[in-house]
């Protein structure tokens, strides 16, 4: 035959083996499929061939052309692939790095952790209650019956959901953490010392010192012979540890339905302006509360307190507006 296709195929395979980049691939294409390439030479030769040879060569040259196209396409993919993977593991260690900002706990979470931690050191256990409460736990169990005038002071978000325990009443968003006292005492016998942090809700118009949601930390200690001086001593220790030894305190008589006697605690800094700032409510657990949770009459005494976390954090850090805690402005949050 005029053309030795076996040898041509051998040459084609050898040549393509030696191709490693797009430039060499183009040279390969020109050599075989170019206008003056081998395939076109073979086609040009067809008219000169014998009638027997013509169809055979025609068939073979078509096969050769298909093979070349396939090889070129496959090689093109291969070259591009190696080019990509050759560039990807390249790592320029001299480039400046991209910093990944590390987050941190919100200032209120930090304050809650710190306050709970201080009481834990004094032997208190940290417990939590639900934000959706019954009227029973939020009010009645705390000696605040429905017609009690003090109930107005605990303005409340009621849910449009009946209390499964008493269908005549509605569930609500707890307006303080004190229902935690009721839950704990219903479930445990004294002696007990617990601290209950959590969110509370009141339908207050939002301004620099009010928010419809804020955080409280409740404290409760019940035993055989708890006295008011235990309460004073405990809260004095707490304030000195949290605000520093420089702090001055006063216990100002107050009223809460669930404690008797009751007080509010004010603090002031010796070296600051002589100004008293209220930070918490407290008192001795009212006998009516012990009765509501089913404790035997006259057997136990207890102390309780409730402090506002935002208020305490504002005083400690000199923050003027409660809204900044909830606006998530990084310029504020990053300072703590
Ligand atoms: N629950 C009261 C409030 O929200 C605070 C308090 C707690 C007072 C415990 C006395 C004892 O204002």
């Amino acid at each position: 035959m005029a053309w030795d296709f076996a040898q041509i195929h051998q040459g084609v395979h050898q040549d393509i083996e030696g191709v490693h980049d797009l430039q060499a691939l183009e040279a390969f294409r020109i050599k075989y499929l170019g206008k003056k390439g081998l395939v076109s030479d073979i086609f040009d030769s067809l008219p000169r061939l014998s009638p027997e040879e013509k169809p055979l060569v025609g068939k073979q040259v078509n096969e050769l052309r298909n093979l070349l196209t396939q090889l070129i396409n496959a090689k093109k993919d291969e070259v591009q692939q190696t080019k990509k993977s050759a560039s990807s593991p390249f790592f320029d260690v001299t480039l400046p790095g991209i910093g990944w900002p590390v987050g941190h706990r919100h200032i209120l979470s930090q304050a809650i952790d710190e306050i709970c931690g201080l009481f834990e050191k004094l032997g208190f256990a940290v417990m939590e209650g639900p934000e959706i409460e019954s009227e029973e736990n939020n009010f009645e169990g705390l000696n605040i019956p429905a017609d009690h005038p003090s109930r107005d002071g605990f303005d409340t978000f009621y849910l449009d959901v009946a209390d499964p325990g008493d269908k005549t009443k509605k569930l609500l968003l707890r307006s303080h953490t004190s229902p935690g006292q009721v839950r704990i005492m219903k479930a445990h016998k004294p002696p007990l010392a617990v601290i209950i942090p959590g969110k509370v809700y009141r339908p207050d118009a939002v301004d620099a010192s009010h928010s419809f949601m804020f955080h409280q930390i409740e404290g409760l200690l019940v035993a055989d012979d708890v006295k008011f001086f235990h309460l004073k001593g405990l809260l004095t220790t707490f304030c000195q540890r949290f605000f520093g030894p420089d702090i001055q305190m006063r216990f100002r008589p107050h009223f809460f339905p669930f404690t008797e006697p009751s007080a509010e605690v004010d603090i002031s800094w010796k070296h600051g302006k002589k100004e008293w700032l209220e930070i918490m409510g407290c008192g001795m657990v009212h006998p009516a509360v012990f009765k509501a949770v089913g404790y035997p009459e006259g057997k136990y005494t207890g102390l309780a307190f409730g402090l506002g976390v935002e208020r305490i954090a504002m005083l400690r850090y000199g923050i003027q507006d409660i809204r900044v805690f909830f606006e998530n402005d990084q310029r504020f949050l990053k300072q703590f």
Side-chain angles (χ1 to χ4, degrees):
M1 203 194 289
W3 299 96
D4 184 347
F5 279 95
Q7 215 189 334
I8 292 174
H9 276 258
Q10 210 184 338
V12 163
H13 285 290
Q14 239 167 41
D15 285 353
I16 198 81
E17 284 291 296
V19 169
H20 298 296
D21 55 38
L22 290 176
Q23 215 179 336
L25 186 62
E26 180 60 6
F28 174 88
R29 191 192 65 79
I30 291 168
K31 175 172 173 183
Y32 289 102
L33 294 177
K35 261 190 204 140
K36 290 176 184 153
L38 183 64
V39 168
S40 106
D41 280 354
I42 298 173
F43 275 115
D44 289 347
S45 75
L46 285 178
R48 285 177 264 123
L49 298 180
S50 68
E52 301 85 54
E53 259 188 331
K54 211 181 271 180
L56 288 174
V57 172
K59 182 168 176 273
Q60 302 246 48
V61 74
N62 274 323
E63 279 170 11
L64 176 65
R65 192 175 51 185
N66 290 342
L67 172 75
L68 286 163
T69 322
Q70 263 173 33
L71 287 176
I72 289 172
N73 287 338
K75 192 55 129 184
K76 202 175 190 171
D77 286 350
E78 185 189 314
V79 169
Q80 276 164 348
Q81 203 53 45
T82 39
K83 210 169 134 192
K84 251 196 230 153
S85 56
S87 63
S88 60
F90 179 73
F91 183 70
D92 185 350
V93 291
T94 66
L95 283 174
I98 300 167
W100 287 90
V102 179
H104 67 281
R105 287 172 74 68
H106 191 277
I107 174 182
L108 288 177
S109 301
Q110 290 182 47
I112 291 167
D113 287 353
E114 189 180 337
I115 294 167
C116 289
L118 287 174
F119 282 104
E120 278 182 293
K121 278 194 195 138
L122 296 168
F124 283 72
V126 179
M127 295 189 161
E128 278 174 283
E131 289 168 30
I132 295 179
E133 263 298 4
S134 60
E135 292 186 49
E136 166 63 30
N137 287 339
N138 198 79
F139 295 124
E140 274 95 284
L142 291 163
N143 195 29
I144 321 176
D147 56 354
H148 199 287
S150 78
R151 201 137 153 178
D152 301 342
F154 294 92
D155 240 11
T156 306
F157 283 115
Y158 286 90
L159 303 181
D160 210 4
V161 180
D163 178 351
D166 179 352
K167 293 260 168 18
T168 65
K169 290 180 176 151
K170 283 186 167 174
L171 293 178
L172 49 81
L173 294 180
R174 67 178 173 199
S175 53
H176 51 172
T177 42
S178 302
Q181 292 188 35
V182 178
R183 285 182 173 268
I184 302 248
M185 287 192 277
K186 276 184 179 163
H188 300 275
K189 293 247 151 323
L192 45 91
V194 292
I195 203 93
I196 312 158
K199 291 183 167 70
V200 302
Y201 301 84
R202 293 182 193 176
D204 282 330
V206 176
D207 63 25
S209 50
H210 293 90
S211 168
F212 51 82
M213 184 283 293
F214 56 100
H215 297 78
Q216 284 188 335
I217 297 181
E218 190 85 6
L220 174 71
L221 185 146
V222 184
D224 285 340
D225 198 14
V226 184
K227 296 207 151 64
F228 195 84
F229 74 77
H230 291 123
L231 176 65
K232 271 191 103 168
L234 177 69
L235 296 180
T236 304
T237 302
F238 162 71
C239 284
Q240 284 174 350
R241 291 192 183 171
F242 190 78
F243 292 104
D246 202 22
I247 204 70
Q248 285 195 307
M249 295 170 74
R250 76 179 179 192
F251 286 73
R252 180 168 37 75
H254 197 73
F255 172 79
F256 295 105
F258 35 94
T259 47
E260 180 59 33
S262 304
E264 276 190 335
V265 177
D266 298 335
I267 58 164
S268 169
W269 278 269
K270 274 181 199 151
H271 305 300
K273 296 179 271 163
K274 196 71 189 168
E275 194 188 0
W276 290 105
L277 303 155
E278 180 239 314
I279 56 162
M280 65 174 118
C282 65
M284 304 307 289
V285 179
H286 197 292
V289 177
F290 286 145
K291 190 171 175 208
V293 299
Y295 283 179
E297 209 183 316
K299 193 164 184 331
Y300 300 113
T301 42
L303 62 83
F305 55 90
L307 54 87
V309 180
E310 282 80 358
R311 181 148 178 90
I312 283 198
M314 286 167 81
L315 291 177
R316 186 175 174 183
Y317 298 112
I319 296 164
Q320 307 290 335
D321 192 321
I322 194 170
R323 289 169 288 201
V324 294
F325 290 119
F326 310 116
E327 280 166 352
N328 285 330
D329 186 332
Q330 292 291 315
R331 290 167 301 181
F332 169 73
L333 295 176
K334 274 183 181 161
Q335 298 175 64
F336 303 98

